[in-house]
Amino acid sequence: MTNEAPRTYDVVVIGAGPVGENVADRARAAGLSTVIVERELLGGECSYWACEPSKALLRPVLARADARRVPGLRQAVAGPLDVEAVLAHRDKMSAYWNDENQVDWLNAVSVDLIRGHGRLDGPRQVAVQTPDGDTVRLTARHAVAICTGTSAALPDTPGLDTVRPWTSREATSADHVPGRLAIVGGGVVAVEMATAWQALGAQVTMLVRGDAGLLPRMEPFAGELVADGLREAGVDIRFGASVTYVAREDGEVRMTLADGAELAADEILFATGRAPRTADLGLETVGLTAGDWLTVDDTGRVTAVADGWLYAAGDVNQRALLTHQGKYQARIVGAAIGARAKGEPVDDARWGAHATTADGAAVPQVVFTDPEVASVGLTAREAERAGRRVEVVDYDIARVAGAHQYAEGYRGQARMLVDVDRGTVAGVTFVGPGVGELLHSATVTVAGEVPVERLWHAVPAFPTISEVWLRLLETYRGRQQDQMLPPEA
Ligand SMILES: Cc1cc2nc3c(=O)[nH]c(=O)nc-3n(C[C@H](O)[C@H](O)[C@H](O)COP(=O)(O)OP(=O)(O)OC[C@H]3O[C@@H](n4cnc5c(N)ncnc54)[C@H](O)[C@@H]3O)c2cc1C
Ligand SMILES: NC(=O)c1ccc[n+]([C@@H]2O[C@H](COP(=O)([O-])OP(=O)(O)OC[C@H]3O[C@@H](n4cnc5c(N)ncnc54)[C@H](O)[C@@H]3O)[C@@H](O)[C@H]2O)c1
């Protein structure tokens, strides 16, 4: 093992997923010497085992579902998906699990790369264990940024160690379609992977604990409409189903549920949430606890560490486990590191250049199921918990002319929350085919804190689904006018 003298950089980034890459890019653009440490592939979970492969699997499924609702086109797409072609497309969209292009990009932006496992080794110090067993020591003049993301969190179900369960990694990279796939969980990964694998030919059974339904963090109608869509596609959804024991016997996975029911499948996917990759990161050398999420302020600094040199961005800070939101944090964190290093003022006021204000106000998300779910800002439940006075405005998207054009028998639902004290929109949820591309209008409205009265002047084109905005506003105004009418004699 060689132990060279420590190399010094202005900024050391640990983890080259989408977020680490962007922190490094922004820090370098601010004129700071920057090195990034990566133990697997540049591009992280998103490029190889999450967003890219999952959406490549889902795109043909959703395009076919849409086409089947268009008269004149339905017959042309009546047949099954070409599984081999879908998997080949997925492989291509995952860059064949090769990060050469991303290395080229890193070189082009003049960020140094060290491959290996990075660990903190005291304040501003990082030790990298390289694949050939060497240790490279790094010192950061200004900042260390932790961008190590998350891994699948598995429950401690007895027998789990014997079944070789699928996690999101296997679910997005599998090269064959299992005959029967059991999915534990009712969150985003569970519903997306149920949509994909059922359409590719597996018989999917979802085992969802409790009675909160699917997508429990979203508006309840989102989970209900997605459950309807999955059932129509042939998925068997069992609510109140807790797995108490699993075993792999004779090549199949056997499960026992809390109510004593038994079932078998060829594979079992645990889509039961995420855990931060901080267990083996040397957190204890800077007074933090191994395995914890890293709590940060709005400029991305880890709040529990003195002197403000340690930052954390992306999944690992648990603010919003989404690529686009982590990259937003990364742009701001990179700029904040740059400003502090140069002694420039840091604008961390609400919506300031160095504050990740949107994390708490306007996080957009699209769930790529049939129907799609697109949401930003608060749900009604969250608004109530936060003590915000909101008016809940609902509209059936099927009544919008553009929805009739989009698909025969369109089914969908929209909800807008109007903050009655501020006169702005606090949250929007759309559910229905094609609504994902509608979401940014809602994000601009929420993040821009556009007064509801001004929205009347933002005219949606006819006949598009976006006319749902007009209908939501009319519903809201109609209600207000009703309230202004004198009581009937
Ligand atoms: C199945 C699935 C589908 C998803 N789909 C979407 C989607 O459609 N849209 C969306 O916005 N989000 C989606 N997400 C979430 C998205 O993948 C994450 O939010 C995103 O990857 C987080 O980026 P990150 O850079 O914080 O972490 P990661 O992408 O996890 O990257 C972290 C990197 O750090 C490296 N690393 C970790 N520890 C060390 C260490 N000690 N030393 C060196 N390197 C280290 C890892 O190898 C990895 O490359 C999905 C997630 C899953 C599981
Ligand atoms: N399209 C997208 O934007 C997209 C797609 C996939 C994932 N993601 C991101 O990835 C993150 C992780 O997704 P996820 O689905 O793994 O997590 P999640 O938190 O969304 O859902 C986890 C589900 O597992 C259940 N669960 C947890 N522990 C369990 C246990 N012991 N037994 C049974 N059920 C259990 C929960 O009740 C919940 O239904 C999400 O926060 C999401 O932001 C985003």
Side-chain angles (χ1 to χ4, degrees):
M1 180 191 271
T2 52
N3 279 308
E4 340 163 348
R7 300 184 205 170
T8 301
Y9 287 87
D10 291 329
V11 180
V12 178
V13 179
I14 308 182
V19 179
E21 287 180 332
N22 276 270
V23 172
D25 178 43
R26 291 297 86 204
R28 188 72 196 95
L32 303 177
S33 65
T34 305
V35 63
I36 197 164
V37 180
E38 173 55 51
R39 67 179 186 191
E40 282 190 279
L41 294 173
L42 274 81
E45 215 63 21
C46 179
S47 298
Y48 310 102
W49 301 284
C51 328
E52 294 286 2
S54 63
K55 269 71 252 183
L57 291 173
L58 284 160
R59 179 67 197 134
V61 178
L62 302 191
R64 181 179 67 160
D66 273 0
R68 283 181 170 176
R69 298 187 188 101
V70 180
L73 183 56
R74 187 171 296 138
Q75 302 312 322
V77 290
L81 292 168
D82 177 344
V83 173
E84 214 175 300
V86 174
L87 296 183
H89 172 63
R90 184 275 318 270
D91 293 355
K92 185 178 170 197
M93 295 301 283
S94 313
Y96 304 102
W97 293 273
N98 179 317
D99 63 3
E100 270 170 22
N101 285 342
Q102 308 229 20
V103 175
D104 289 346
W105 172 80
L106 210 59
N107 288 334
V109 295
S110 303
V111 170
D112 285 355
L113 166 67
I114 298 178
R115 293 207 185 253
H117 184 102
R119 289 183 189 87
L120 293 168
D121 192 18
R124 298 171 195 269
Q125 307 299 318
V126 172
V128 185
Q129 197 177 344
T130 65
D132 48 15
D134 288 348
T135 300
V136 178
R137 298 195 178 279
L138 302 168
T139 300
R141 269 187 218 102
H142 295 294
V144 175
I146 307 281
C147 306
T148 50
T150 55
S151 303
L154 290 172
D156 54 3
T157 311
L160 194 60
D161 50 341
T162 67
V163 297
R164 298 181 304 281
W166 277 14
T167 66
S168 49
R169 283 209 166 188
E170 290 75 19
T172 50
S173 61
D175 60 5
H176 69 284
V177 181
R180 298 161 299 169
L181 174 64
I183 300 182
V184 181
V188 193
V189 172
V191 296
E192 286 191 347
M193 290 299 95
T195 303
W197 289 106
Q198 179 75 27
L200 288 166
Q203 172 53 59
V204 173
T205 302
M206 294 184 72
L207 302 168
V208 186
R209 70 176 180 184
D211 56 5
L214 300 181
L215 299 174
R217 291 182 207 170
M218 305 188 112
E219 295 287 7
F221 64 84
E224 287 159 19
L225 287 166
V226 169
D228 290 348
L230 286 167
R231 285 204 180 97
E232 279 164 30
V235 174
D236 177 7
I237 309 177
R238 303 189 190 182
F239 291 112
S242 289
V243 182
T244 53
Y245 178 73
V246 281
R248 193 177 278 276
E249 289 165 20
D250 302 327
E252 64 177 21
V253 182
R254 303 210 176 131
M255 292 148 267
T256 306
L257 306 186
D259 63 2
E262 296 193 341
L263 73 149
D266 298 294
E267 300 292 351
I268 183 167
L269 162 62
F270 279 84
T272 43
R274 313 291 298 173
R277 288 203 194 98
T278 57
D280 187 15
L281 198 57
L283 288 189
E284 57 290 347
T285 70
V286 297
L288 300 172
T289 305
D292 276 3
W293 298 93
L294 296 175
T295 304
V296 295
D297 66 18
D298 268 1
T299 69
R301 286 199 295 202
V302 175
T303 50
V305 168
D307 299 333
W309 59 273
L310 187 65
Y311 291 75
D315 273 19
V316 77
N317 67 27
Q318 209 186 12
R319 286 191 151 206
L321 279 66
L322 293 163
T323 292
H324 46 268
Q325 205 65 22
K327 285 163 72 174
Y328 159 78
Q329 294 168 11
R331 293 189 288 272
I332 287 172
V333 165
I337 292 172
R340 287 190 174 115
K342 289 187 241 168
E344 291 170 0
V346 172
D347 179 6
D348 61 357
R350 192 170 151 78
W351 301 116
H354 304 119
T356 55
T357 311
D359 283 353
V363 177
Q365 177 163 26
V366 174
V367 185
F368 294 82
T369 40
D370 179 33
E372 290 176 352
V373 180
S375 69
V376 62
L378 299 181
T379 62
R381 200 188 311 118
E382 287 167 345
E384 192 186 332
R385 277 197 204 127
R388 298 268 293 269
R389 288 202 314 139
V390 294
E391 178 110 19
V392 178
V393 185
D394 288 327
Y395 198 81
D396 177 356
I397 304 182
R399 292 167 63 199
V400 176
H404 292 285
Q405 288 288 352
Y406 192 88
E408 198 172 59
Y410 191 101
R411 268 183 288 162
Q413 187 68 31
R415 171 168 287 183
M416 170 176 81
L417 303 185
V418 179
D419 184 314
V420 292
D421 295 315
R422 302 179 193 179
T424 55
V425 176
V428 177
T429 300
F430 300 123
V431 184
V435 297
E437 294 298 338
L438 211 62
L439 182 60
H440 199 57
S441 57
T443 307
V444 171
T445 303
V446 175
E449 297 177 340
V450 182
V452 174
E453 288 310 313
R454 176 59 70 86
L455 283 176
W456 282 97
H457 299 278
V459 184
F462 178 84
T464 62
I465 302 174
S466 59
E467 277 203 312
V468 68
W469 276 110
L470 188 54
R471 305 291 167 240
L472 286 165
L473 292 170
E474 284 168 350
T475 308
Y476 177 58
R477 184 176 273 186
R479 237 189 255 168
Q480 284 186 312
Q481 283 167 350
D482 287 349
Q483 281 166 10
M484 283 157 61
L485 289 175
E488 285 180 30

